[in-house]
Amino acid sequence: MYRSHTCGELRIEHVGNTVTLAGWVQRTREMGGMTFVDLRDRYGITQLAFNTEDNDDLNQAARKLGREFVVQINGEVIERSSKNKNIPTGEVEIKVNELKVLNAAKTPPFTIEEETDGGDELRMKHRYLDIRRTVIQEKLRLRNKVALETRKYLDGEDFMDVETPYLIKSTPEGARDFVVPSRMNQGEFYALPQSPQTFKQLLMVSGIDRYYQIVKCFRDEDLRADRQPEFTQVDCEMSFVEQEDVLNTFEGLVKHLFKACRGIEFEGDFPRMTFAEAMETYGSDKPDIRFGMKFNNLNEVAKNKGFKIFDEAELVVGIVAEDCAVYSRKQLDKLTKWVQRPQVGAKGLVYVKYNEDGSFKSSVDKFYSQEDLKEWADHLGAKPGDLLLVLSGEADKTRKQMNELRLHMGNELGLRNPNEFKPLWVVDFPLLEWDDETERYHAMHHPFTSPKQEDIELLDTDPGRVRANAYDLAMNGVELGGGSIRIHDRDLQALMFKHLGFSDEEAQKQFGFLMNAFEFGAPPHGGIAFGLDRLVATMGGSDSIRDYIAFPKNNAGRDIMIDAPATIDQEQLKELGLDLDLQEEN
Ligand code: ASP
């Protein structure tokens, strides 16, 4: 028996017990003839006490312990004279009788404490040490709890966990595929699934009725803080459902998770917003509705007053930053520079200060009278003391820029409280999205999403206006999940492929298996997938998903601990029938 208790377990009622503990040396403190050692394991920290007067050899041995040594001790639980109220074991310590070093440790490259002196790179290189830190363990614990409660809830709703393969053919989720060369079929490649989309639909044809899987998905995309090349989805599909059924079932899941994992209860139903409204009022399909600052179209009041930039713009749009008329020239210049960064891409920023005395001071005073600006203010619902921020240009682009500015102002003004959670269903997404580069329509969600019945006739005349039975769950400006009601009819699926620019042969070659399956009695079905990493990070009040993944990759898609990706040797290449040099020459 290595231990009788964990390092997080002992309390005042254990005083007098003889115990054995094992763990890591967090730190050692010497005080006169005494030595105190903080012993740590996953469950907590317990203080060990050594005393020269009781046993000098043992005390000397304790003083030799280095950080992160693995030790086992035996001793008596005693009451501490100076209690530590900050930790659950803080009322007791162990008067050690025996000390055994189970394994020595090199001095770690950074301190394994709440706050560490290790930068990102160093911590990732030694991620196994980083994970010893309580802060990271708490994040992984939250993840475990969310996954466990997801299983409990879905199991209770009759969902069945079915595994689907990783070595497959391309799935169209709009990203690039990771591919795996086949040794047995040289010159051919598997693709790693961007999601189990087609398989879960086939399982509906099989009569599984309710499927779920907590599953890895792979997408070869450029990385950002909230993206990883491999990530985990809670992937679900249901038969004989309409959109309303799916939304209700998964609103239930999210409510259950927040209650079970964070003790937070949502009141009433999650609000809903159409995609069109979300874009118009927030410039985003995942609006952060923890704060207002909604967009208002100023075309009517700002155009045709001789200000060329506005006159030529498709859209003039404004927001109100409450109580910010006090912003200094310097602050406003900084804000202007901020919107002009390439990441945002605005040409400039127009501001209007609505002073407390009712007067206006703006960056466009040359073109607009005080009365004009009052009209803007009224249009935007501003009051004295507020600051109006206005952008203009091509409508879609300007809305996106304004979205960035709004979120930035939300951060600046402390309106995005990480402990406040505001879910929002965004519904009625467009079915298709025009792509300037390829000059054709793409499926906005994926090609299996069904159009709204009443919009089908627009497919031929005005495809961009066809709405889909597709929905996303947004929370705090993050897309937590999305899904759709699927097409289950072969002919409609074939029509959809046609609109996406596939010839019959191409569609048959790539998705024949699915369309064929639809000929054998496919039930109406629909589903959703949540990004587990994002869900957990959001629940933990963080923007970055990396901390919630045990072994994440960096921005360049590298695992710097194991040093992957890496080259493989000639022999392996040969076996796979790959000749890299030849490919480079081509
Ligand atoms: N397969 C979709 C995705 O990964 C989710 C779904 O439609 O269920 O986004």
Side-chain angles (χ1 to χ4, degrees), residues 414-428:
L415 302 173
R416 305 182 75 193
N417 174 0
N419 287 311
E420 191 185 350
F421 300 95
K422 285 279 167 80
L424 175 73
W425 285 112
V426 179
V427 298
D428 295 356

mmCIF file of all heavy atoms in Angstrom, residues 414-428:
data_model
loop_
_atom_site.group_PDB
_atom_site.id
_atom_site.type_symbol
_atom_site.label_atom_id
_atom_site.label_comp_id
_atom_site.label_asym_id
_atom_site.label_seq_id
_atom_site.Cartn_x
_atom_site.Cartn_y
_atom_site.Cartn_z
ATOM 1 N N GLY A 414 -15.553 46.631 -20.014
ATOM 2 C CA GLY A 414 -15.818 45.589 -19.011
ATOM 3 C C GLY A 414 -17.235 45.045 -19.080
ATOM 4 O O GLY A 414 -17.830 44.689 -18.059
ATOM 5 N N LEU A 415 -17.793 45.003 -20.298
ATOM 6 C CA LEU A 415 -19.181 44.546 -20.428
ATOM 7 C C LEU A 415 -19.274 43.045 -20.726
ATOM 8 O O LEU A 415 -20.350 42.508 -20.872
ATOM 9 C CB LEU A 415 -19.880 45.325 -21.555
ATOM 10 C CG LEU A 415 -19.901 46.849 -21.381
ATOM 11 C CD1 LEU A 415 -20.454 47.524 -22.622
ATOM 12 C CD2 LEU A 415 -20.735 47.220 -20.156
ATOM 13 N N ARG A 416 -18.101 42.390 -20.835
ATOM 14 C CA ARG A 416 -18.126 40.972 -21.204
ATOM 15 C C ARG A 416 -17.660 40.142 -20.009
ATOM 16 O O ARG A 416 -16.566 39.601 -19.978
ATOM 17 C CB ARG A 416 -17.245 40.741 -22.436
ATOM 18 C CG ARG A 416 -17.641 41.637 -23.599
ATOM 19 C CD ARG A 416 -16.805 41.382 -24.819
ATOM 20 N NE ARG A 416 -17.208 40.143 -25.476
ATOM 21 C CZ ARG A 416 -16.488 39.530 -26.420
ATOM 22 N NH1 ARG A 416 -15.336 40.050 -26.791
ATOM 23 N NH2 ARG A 416 -16.911 38.415 -26.976
ATOM 24 N N ASN A 417 -18.529 40.060 -19.029
ATOM 25 C CA ASN A 417 -18.225 39.360 -17.786
ATOM 26 C C ASN A 417 -18.089 37.851 -18.032
ATOM 27 O O ASN A 417 -19.035 37.197 -18.447
ATOM 28 C CB ASN A 417 -19.372 39.667 -16.809
ATOM 29 C CG ASN A 417 -19.261 38.895 -15.520
ATOM 30 O OD1 ASN A 417 -18.326 38.116 -15.335
ATOM 31 N ND2 ASN A 417 -20.213 39.118 -14.635
ATOM 32 N N PRO A 418 -16.906 37.285 -17.767
ATOM 33 C CA PRO A 418 -16.714 35.859 -18.058
ATOM 34 C C PRO A 418 -17.577 34.935 -17.205
ATOM 35 O O PRO A 418 -17.708 33.755 -17.508
ATOM 36 C CB PRO A 418 -15.222 35.628 -17.778
ATOM 37 C CG PRO A 418 -14.782 36.772 -16.949
ATOM 38 C CD PRO A 418 -15.696 37.918 -17.245
ATOM 39 N N ASN A 419 -18.166 35.485 -16.151
ATOM 40 C CA ASN A 419 -19.020 34.624 -15.329
ATOM 41 C C ASN A 419 -20.503 34.816 -15.596
ATOM 42 O O ASN A 419 -21.355 34.396 -14.817
ATOM 43 C CB ASN A 419 -18.702 34.822 -13.853
ATOM 44 C CG ASN A 419 -17.379 34.184 -13.519
ATOM 45 O OD1 ASN A 419 -17.123 33.028 -13.875
ATOM 46 N ND2 ASN A 419 -16.500 34.952 -12.898
ATOM 47 N N GLU A 420 -20.779 35.475 -16.710
ATOM 48 C CA GLU A 420 -22.178 35.631 -17.101
ATOM 49 C C GLU A 420 -22.337 34.840 -18.391
ATOM 50 O O GLU A 420 -21.464 34.891 -19.265
ATOM 51 C CB GLU A 420 -22.447 37.109 -17.346
ATOM 52 C CG GLU A 420 -23.898 37.456 -17.510
ATOM 53 C CD GLU A 420 -24.064 38.946 -17.867
ATOM 54 O OE1 GLU A 420 -23.092 39.698 -17.785
ATOM 55 O OE2 GLU A 420 -25.171 39.308 -18.256
ATOM 56 N N PHE A 421 -23.415 34.091 -18.523
ATOM 57 C CA PHE A 421 -23.559 33.215 -19.691
ATOM 58 C C PHE A 421 -24.866 33.527 -20.404
ATOM 59 O O PHE A 421 -25.934 33.432 -19.816
ATOM 60 C CB PHE A 421 -23.501 31.760 -19.249
ATOM 61 C CG PHE A 421 -22.202 31.428 -18.567
ATOM 62 C CD1 PHE A 421 -22.093 31.478 -17.182
ATOM 63 C CD2 PHE A 421 -21.078 31.121 -19.302
ATOM 64 C CE1 PHE A 421 -20.885 31.219 -16.555
ATOM 65 C CE2 PHE A 421 -19.861 30.852 -18.687
ATOM 66 C CZ PHE A 421 -19.766 30.900 -17.304
ATOM 67 N N LYS A 422 -24.747 33.915 -21.673
ATOM 68 C CA LYS A 422 -25.939 34.306 -22.430
ATOM 69 C C LYS A 422 -26.062 33.481 -23.708
ATOM 70 O O LYS A 422 -25.471 33.815 -24.734
ATOM 71 C CB LYS A 422 -25.882 35.809 -22.760
ATOM 72 C CG LYS A 422 -26.184 36.706 -21.571
ATOM 73 C CD LYS A 422 -27.695 36.813 -21.352
ATOM 74 C CE LYS A 422 -28.070 37.416 -20.012
ATOM 75 N NZ LYS A 422 -27.994 38.852 -19.945
ATOM 76 N N PRO A 423 -26.841 32.398 -23.630
ATOM 77 C CA PRO A 423 -27.040 31.572 -24.819
ATOM 78 C C PRO A 423 -27.980 32.242 -25.811
ATOM 79 O O PRO A 423 -28.807 33.071 -25.419
ATOM 80 C CB PRO A 423 -27.686 30.306 -24.243
ATOM 81 C CG PRO A 423 -28.383 30.767 -23.008
ATOM 82 C CD PRO A 423 -27.595 31.922 -22.466
ATOM 83 N N LEU A 424 -27.830 31.877 -27.058
ATOM 84 C CA LEU A 424 -28.705 32.415 -28.111
ATOM 85 C C LEU A 424 -28.761 31.413 -29.261
ATOM 86 O O LEU A 424 -27.730 31.034 -29.812
ATOM 87 C CB LEU A 424 -28.140 33.754 -28.615
ATOM 88 C CG LEU A 424 -28.864 34.387 -29.806
ATOM 89 C CD1 LEU A 424 -30.218 34.950 -29.381
ATOM 90 C CD2 LEU A 424 -28.023 35.500 -30.428
ATOM 91 N N TRP A 425 -29.964 30.983 -29.603
ATOM 92 C CA TRP A 425 -30.125 30.168 -30.810
ATOM 93 C C TRP A 425 -30.165 31.097 -32.012
ATOM 94 O O TRP A 425 -30.969 32.027 -32.035
ATOM 95 C CB TRP A 425 -31.417 29.367 -30.791
ATOM 96 C CG TRP A 425 -31.426 28.184 -29.879
ATOM 97 C CD1 TRP A 425 -32.171 28.057 -28.735
ATOM 98 C CD2 TRP A 425 -30.711 26.947 -30.045
ATOM 99 N NE1 TRP A 425 -31.946 26.820 -28.171
ATOM 100 C CE2 TRP A 425 -31.052 26.112 -28.954
ATOM 101 C CE3 TRP A 425 -29.805 26.465 -30.992
ATOM 102 C CZ2 TRP A 425 -30.532 24.839 -28.785
ATOM 103 C CZ3 TRP A 425 -29.283 25.188 -30.819
ATOM 104 C CH2 TRP A 425 -29.646 24.394 -29.737
ATOM 105 N N VAL A 426 -29.322 30.879 -32.969
ATOM 106 C CA VAL A 426 -29.411 31.624 -34.223
ATOM 107 C C VAL A 426 -30.015 30.661 -35.244
ATOM 108 O O VAL A 426 -29.495 29.547 -35.432
ATOM 109 C CB VAL A 426 -28.030 32.139 -34.668
ATOM 110 C CG1 VAL A 426 -28.141 32.902 -35.985
ATOM 111 C CG2 VAL A 426 -27.433 33.038 -33.590
ATOM 112 N N VAL A 427 -31.123 31.062 -35.850
ATOM 113 C CA VAL A 427 -31.858 30.156 -36.740
ATOM 114 C C VAL A 427 -32.015 30.756 -38.136
ATOM 115 O O VAL A 427 -31.676 31.922 -38.351
ATOM 116 C CB VAL A 427 -33.257 29.808 -36.157
ATOM 117 C CG1 VAL A 427 -33.121 29.073 -34.826
ATOM 118 C CG2 VAL A 427 -34.091 31.074 -35.973
ATOM 119 N N ASP A 428 -32.556 29.944 -39.023
ATOM 120 C CA ASP A 428 -32.831 30.400 -40.403
ATOM 121 C C ASP A 428 -31.575 30.880 -41.129
ATOM 122 O O ASP A 428 -31.570 31.948 -41.759
ATOM 123 C CB ASP A 428 -33.880 31.537 -40.418
ATOM 124 C CG ASP A 428 -35.237 31.073 -39.922
ATOM 125 O OD1 ASP A 428 -35.373 29.866 -39.639
ATOM 126 O OD2 ASP A 428 -36.140 31.915 -39.797
#
